[in-house]
Amino acid sequence: MTVTAAPPDRVDPYAVLDGLSRLTTLTAGRLGDSRLVLRAIHGSPATETSFKSILGLGLLLLARERGLLAEGQPVIESTSGSLGLGLAAAGRLLGHEIHLVSDPGIPAVTRRKIELAGGVLHLVPEPHPVLGFQQARDDLLQRLRTEHPDYYWTNQNDSPLNPEVYTRWVVPHLVRTLDFARIAAGIFCVGSGGHFSALSAMLAAKGIRSYVADRHGSITFGGDPAPSILRGTGNQNRIPAVIDSARDRVTGVFEVSDAQACAGVQELAARGISVGGSSGVCYMGARRLAAALGPHAEGEILTFFADRGELYGTTLLNWGDQQ
């Protein structure tokens, strides 16, 4: 597809997406007693939203390119928060009404930003008795799709456009900035699996293995479903097709509990790095991976700090005091 320049009085969405995709990295320090250092891709350097701003805008642009999304067509998706905000901002930019199915646990600041961006929220009142809020949201989303067959469903869990967004816009920037000769392994959290799919393929092309840090209560890699205070990571009700298609690049899985993730968030905060729960999962998984790689392994373990600490208030930082 040939992309023409936007008129001067209109924002070019491709330029916006290119700017958002220039993710930086930070050094998060040595991992335990090993010689390995953690290098984290920073998920929100360009805005105060999150890397899901990249996914939200990218999903809509790719859908429009493929003829899946018509001009002005309403869009619907289920979200724990961050992707919803990314889609709402993208919809405002591109002229699409965005309908978002979420739950009462959505952070208040995220909810308000979605409303200000013009997104329409549909909240489920309570979780499914076994499969939690994810299933309750999916049930409501499908009811709304039946009532509004004209809505375009981005379907982040199963759409191949999800990893394609990262492959097309994020990976080229990382390839130019990362020192792959220093990377011993990668470890990433998994929700839908979009960024794992793209980043693990990037590392595999350099002969580097990737691992997963997953929360307790996620069924993605064979665990039993259970609730968690962590949002946007793990899957309690179903295994997304996106991560299923990249399963051959998962070298190993390290499970992390809520308490361990909170301890990781607190340790990172003590190092001056403010992140949320999924980043705490990645950090603690990376510590265990470093130990598993052995005392002679050197270089860096690459991960992705996707979320921001303030979305949880002080819940994660005060976890040990609340128990």
Side-chain angles (χ1 to χ4, degrees), residues 20-53:
L20 292 172
S21 299
R22 295 175 182 271
L23 299 178
T24 58
T25 67
L26 58 87
T27 300
R30 196 170 295 278
L31 291 164
D33 297 326
S34 78
R35 301 180 183 182
L36 290 158
V37 170
L38 186 64
R39 177 158 297 278
I41 302 165
H42 197 310
S44 55
T47 73
E48 63 167 9
T49 55
S50 77
F51 80 105
K52 290 294 182 74
S53 296

Side-chain angles (χ1 to χ4, degrees), residues 103-188:
D103 58 74
I106 185 171
V109 63
T110 303
R111 177 174 180 171
R112 183 58 180 148
K113 287 179 179 180
I114 287 172
E115 292 169 347
L116 290 171
V120 181
L121 276 166
H122 306 266
L123 299 182
V124 298
E126 58 188 9
H128 183 281
V130 176
L131 303 179
F133 275 120
Q134 285 179 318
Q135 186 62 51
R137 296 200 316 251
D138 281 354
D139 291 343
L140 176 55
L141 180 141
Q142 297 306 331
R143 288 200 298 271
L144 289 170
R145 289 188 65 222
T146 300
E147 295 170 7
H148 303 277
D150 59 317
Y151 287 5
Y152 171 71
W153 178 26
T154 47
N155 193 11
Q156 63 159 325
N157 284 325
D158 298 332
S159 173
L161 301 186
N162 179 342
E164 185 175 339
V165 169
Y166 301 110
T167 300
R168 176 167 164 180
W169 280 287
V170 174
V171 167
H173 294 298
L174 292 175
V175 166
R176 290 194 292 269
T177 57
L178 290 171
D179 183 356
F180 291 96
R182 288 192 50 77
I183 299 175
I187 186 165
F188 310 102

